[in-house]
Amino acid sequence: MDGLSRLEYRGYDSAGIAITGVEDSDGGPAGSLTVVKAVGKLTNLRAALAELEAAGGVPDSRSAIGHTRWATHGHPTVENAHPHVSMDGRLALVHNGIIENADALRTQLRAEGYEFTSETDTEVVVHLLDRAFHDPDLISWEGPLDGLEGGELARGWALVAAMITVVARLEGTFTLLALSQEVPGLIVAARRSSPLVVGRGEGENFLGSDAMAFAAHTTDAIEVGQDQIVAVTADSVTIMDREGSVLEPHHFNVDFARDRATKDGWPTFMEKEIHEQPRAIADTIADRLDSEGRLALDEVRIPESLLRGADKMIIVACGTAAYAGLVARYAIEHWCRIPVEVELAHEFRYRDPVVTEKTLVVAISQSGETMDTIMAIRHAREQGAKVIAIVNTPGSTISRESDAVLLTHAGPEIAVASTKAFTAQIAATYILGLYLAQVRGNKYVDEVQDYLEKLEKIPEKVQWVLDRAETVRQTARTMTDVDSVIYLGRHVGYPVALEGALKLKELCYIHAEGFAAGELKHGPIALIDEGQPVIVVVPTPRRPELHNKVVSNIQEVRARGARTIVVAEEGDTSVDEFADVVFRVPATPTLYMPLLSVIPLQLFACELAAAKGNDVDQPRNLAKSVTVE
Ligand code: AGP
């Protein structure tokens, strides 16, 4: 349950747990399999388990599997919650991913008399596994399952063999965990594309979608590769390939602070993480200069010759991370004189993009487990491109499947709505852009240092904005009954407008849309009616060709009755006569402005969500890491 609560941020429509009872006192076939499931947040499962425990219904156990669900197939109901169970109730399975040939398999199983109690693709797998587990002609497999002996060991080998058989028949993506009351000391697992990692403990072992699930118990983790199968007892971890050949385990350390994430007195993780941004940015850009004052990125292990030869960059990401990519494009094109495309990861490979070995692909992902982005970088690498990952989670799938990694050091981001990861991602793309400019000769060492020195001043400027949040909070509290908000921005302010709108959508469930300010008169201005809230991100007045046009945009919407809320630089009085409210940010170079102008928009959405009584950290329908396509 503790591990599940650390993973709840990944999805929380429903949850469940399956517990094997220890074998009968006379060592006969094992006693029991107890399954408890509940709809909604994990607290509901905790309550159901406590009730069962009070009634003496929770057995002493040697193994258990659990699951929090973000619904893909079937509504969030108890029947559709995982674990799913075989018809005889003796085998349980949980699954992340999508089984793409589930319908065909379901038809075949139904024809053989298997009955289904759910709408999920997962239930197909548990019946397939049960069928193989009891198949007299099952392939034979023998391997180290320490701690099992006699009849339990024989059934343990059969369960591993059954998993090998089933994995070969599945199409799509999956992380599977299964256990049987016939082998209470064994958990068998398998993965394809969905995340799975093993935690190696003392006399106990763990499996999780990410290491956070067990980081409180062990920092020694074992990677599970594509199409690999795992057999875990309390005393052994056996990794094998899809044919069942035992492999050498690859250990890595997961000693990061994510398991200790607590609110530290803040009302929500989101509030805390918004206020951690000065530190997140500072830590992400820290220690990037070598002894000669040159920008050196130890995590980027791509030969400089390849970086010099790159003729295009494509940034792939989703959601907020994609908006960080949109901001990065302005800086990297300006500094490196290389064309930069920003593509939503889930669109990228279906676009049949032009990708060659001279294309540099940058994947931006907080979790490092976003399936759309994983599939995009796989496609890019198949085309010969080099991939640099900008991720916030060490040891994540995206970081392990990229050619180079540039870590953001934002610390664990628990709130589903991304804030400090966003600003840390932007800062990391600036570091990458300056590094490329230096390697490619577009910028001299002293120019890079100048840009870096200005970037190092951003954390204190972010703190300046955070210290003046009262106007933002008051404004938000007056808008609980608003049903739509328009966000406008130009140049690097445009992705900020998109991000501001996304925050409002995902936290307040209000329709919000970000537009390029110049686009307004080409149609969207028809949306402006009396009192329509319009939030405008205004460039610095020191860039008049951008600034003056946006001020005109404010006048255009104000003339049509809009309620204008403006994010503008301190001292920029040109906006005052057209703004109902002004959120101030300190003066800063245009390219760095997004790191400041997004802060009021984050605070605005967070405050309004709280004022509306919404769950700020776990908004409805969302998951922190979308590990299915
Ligand atoms: C951001 O507030 C959202 N939670 C979502 O758009 C998120 O940024 C997106 O799913 C990408 O996640 P990643 O950074 O972990 O890949």
Side-chain angles (χ1 to χ4, degrees):
M1 289 306 291
D2 191 31
L4 280 183
S5 63
R6 284 183 167 79
L7 295 181
E8 189 179 18
Y9 71 95
R10 300 172 71 105
Y12 34 83
D13 292 329
S14 58
I17 188 168
I19 308 164
T20 56
V22 294
E23 58 277 17
D24 289 350
S25 52
D26 61 5
S32 67
L33 179 67
T34 304
V35 177
V36 185
K37 306 199 272 191
V39 175
K41 299 277 171 66
L42 207 50
T43 48
N44 300 344
L45 179 65
R46 278 188 193 283
L49 199 56
E51 199 178 315
L52 188 67
E53 198 148 26
V58 176
D60 291 341
S61 178
R62 290 161 56 196
S63 63
I65 57 176
H67 183 272
T68 59
R69 181 170 184 244
W70 183 74
T72 56
H73 290 65
H75 298 95
T77 60
V78 171
E79 293 73 21
N80 289 334
H82 302 205
H84 287 285
V85 180
S86 57
M87 283 172 65
D88 64 7
R90 298 160 66 88
L91 179 75
L93 174 123
V94 296
H95 164 231
N96 274 348
I98 293 179
I99 305 300
E100 296 183 352
N101 60 335
D103 291 344
L105 292 169
R106 185 183 295 108
T107 304
Q108 185 188 337
L109 287 163
R110 277 206 173 110
E112 294 179 19
Y114 286 88
E115 290 163 11
F116 288 77
T117 58
S118 80
E119 308 160 277
T120 67
D121 52 341
T122 306
E123 194 180 359
V124 168
V125 184
V126 74
H127 293 319
L128 271 184
L129 191 65
D130 186 49
R131 178 168 174 269
F133 188 35
H134 295 102
D135 177 354
D137 302 327
L138 180 66
I139 60 164
S140 74
W141 181 88
E142 293 191 7
L145 300 178
D146 298 2
L148 305 192
E149 51 196 28
E152 191 186 16
L153 178 59
R155 294 306 286 151
W157 283 339
L159 189 54
V160 173
M163 184 62 87
I164 293 169
T165 304
V166 166
V167 161
R169 299 199 55 192
L170 299 181
E171 294 167 17
T173 62
F174 51 80
T175 297
L176 302 170
L177 301 187
L179 48 64
S180 162
Q181 70 179 59
E182 295 179 43
V183 203
L186 175 68
I187 295 175
V188 183
R191 74 166 288 256
R192 180 185 298 158
S193 297
S194 287
L196 175 65
V197 63
V198 178
R200 192 77 176 82
E202 291 299 318
E204 57 182 6
N205 290 309
F206 307 84
L207 300 111
S209 299
D210 80 39
M212 193 168 167
F214 52 71
H217 302 280
T218 178
T219 60
D220 176 8
I222 297 174
E223 248 182 57
V224 183
Q226 191 71 323
D227 273 297
Q228 290 181 353
I229 287 139
V230 194
V232 175
T233 70
D235 306 311
S236 67
V237 174
T238 306
I239 309 272
M240 61 203 87
D241 65 17
R242 59 185 305 163
E243 282 73 39
S245 307
V246 177
L247 305 170
E248 265 313 295
H250 169 65
H251 288 253
F252 63 99
N253 188 288
V254 287
D255 187 15
F256 44 91
R258 297 173 67 208
D259 77 298
R260 290 189 287 277
T262 58
K263 291 180 194 162
D264 293 343
W266 291 96
T268 61
F269 277 111
M270 185 175 180
E271 276 281 1
K272 176 189 172 198
E273 288 154 9
I274 287 174
H275 289 82
E276 286 179 328
Q277 291 182 103
R279 165 61 50 221
I281 295 167
D283 289 354
T284 297
I285 63 179
D287 310 327
R288 297 291 186 187
L289 291 179
D290 65 16
S291 49
E292 285 92 58
R294 294 173 55 81
L295 204 55
L297 306 183
D298 47 11
E299 303 105 329
V300 177
R301 290 179 299 282
I302 292 179
E304 290 193 358
S305 57
L306 277 179
L307 298 176
R308 271 191 286 278
D311 62 6
K312 174 165 80 168
M313 176 188 286
I314 302 178
I315 298 175
V316 294
C318 301
T320 290
Y323 301 150
L326 285 172
V327 171
R329 175 171 60 181
Y330 292 93
I332 295 174
E333 284 195 334
H334 181 59
W335 292 335
C336 303
R337 308 316 296 156
I338 183 175
V340 177
E341 296 171 17
V342 182
E343 186 65 74
L344 290 171
H346 40 79
E347 287 290 324
F348 173 66
R349 60 195 176 116
Y350 301 112
R351 190 191 81 182
D352 192 14
V354 176
V355 179
T356 70
E357 63 285 349
K358 297 179 78 173
T359 307
L360 196 54
V361 170
V362 178
I364 304 176
S365 173
Q366 190 286 130
S367 63
E369 299 297 347
T370 297
M371 184 54 68
D372 290 320
T373 310
I374 292 170
M375 301 311 271
I377 63 172
R378 285 197 183 143
H379 179 81
R381 298 190 78 196
E382 283 159 15
Q383 312 297 314
K386 288 296 179 199
V387 176
I388 298 177
I390 294 182
V391 297
N392 195 43
T393 310
S396 56
T397 302
I398 289 173
S399 62
R400 285 188 277 117
E401 295 199 14
S402 297
D403 297 291
V405 177
L406 183 51
L407 287 173
T408 51
H409 296 287
E413 186 177 72
I414 306 303
V416 167
S418 186
T419 51
K420 63 177 183 174
F422 176 65
T423 47
Q425 284 160 357
I426 293 174
T429 61
Y430 289 166
I431 293 293
L432 177 63
L434 290 170
Y435 174 68
L436 289 176
Q438 174 182 293
V439 163
R440 297 166 60 90
N442 303 87
K443 294 290 174 202
Y444 297 110
V445 175
D446 58 328
E447 292 174 311
V448 167
Q449 286 175 356
D450 289 348
Y451 276 110
L452 208 47
E453 279 164 22
K454 291 191 175 77
L455 193 52
E456 286 162 352
K457 293 190 174 4
I458 292 297
E460 68 196 62
K461 292 184 175 182
V462 169
Q463 192 57 52
W464 187 97
V465 180
L466 292 171
D467 293 343
R468 292 160 180 78
E470 202 35 49
T471 306
V472 178
R473 294 184 192 281
Q474 284 165 5
T475 306
R477 284 197 289 271
T478 66
M479 295 175 72
T480 49
D481 58 357
V482 154
D483 58 14
S484 87
V485 178
I486 288 173
Y487 289 73
L488 301 180
R490 191 183 283 262
H491 193 261
V492 287
Y494 171 37
V496 175
L498 295 173
E499 169 60 10
L502 175 60
K503 287 284 138 333
L504 206 71
K505 281 181 267 205
E506 59 180 339
L507 288 157
C508 303
Y509 317 147
I510 292 173
H511 185 259
E513 196 162 351
F515 292 107
E519 185 62 10
L520 202 68
K521 56 188 174 299
H522 298 287
I525 199 163
L527 288 170
I528 306 302
D529 198 349
E530 192 56 37
Q532 169 65 50
V534 178
I535 297 182
V536 188
V537 179
V538 180
T540 170
R542 286 169 295 116
R543 187 73 69 87
E545 71 273 23
L546 296 177
H547 174 270
N548 300 344
K549 286 192 178 64
V550 175
V551 173
S552 303
N553 296 141
I554 300 173
Q555 291 174 278
E556 286 156 16
V557 297
R558 190 71 184 284
R560 289 163 176 80
R563 180 182 181 199
T564 51
I565 300 169
V566 170
V567 180
E569 202 169 274
E570 190 194 9
D572 177 2
T573 55
S574 67
V575 302
D576 293 0
E577 64 176 297
F578 312 114
D580 291 302
V581 182
V582 183
F583 300 156
R584 293 289 176 188
V585 295
T588 200
T590 296
L591 288 176
Y592 293 167
M593 183 57 97
L595 292 165
L596 304 180
S597 49
V598 77
I599 307 295
L601 306 188
Q602 295 168 341
L603 288 165
F604 177 77
C606 183
E607 188 70 22
L608 184 48
K612 290 168 73 78
N614 290 1
D615 185 331
V616 171
D617 286 337
Q618 296 184 342
R620 70 183 183 197
N621 303 344
L622 295 181
K624 180 62 180 172
S625 173
V626 183
T627 57
V628 292
E629 275 193 291

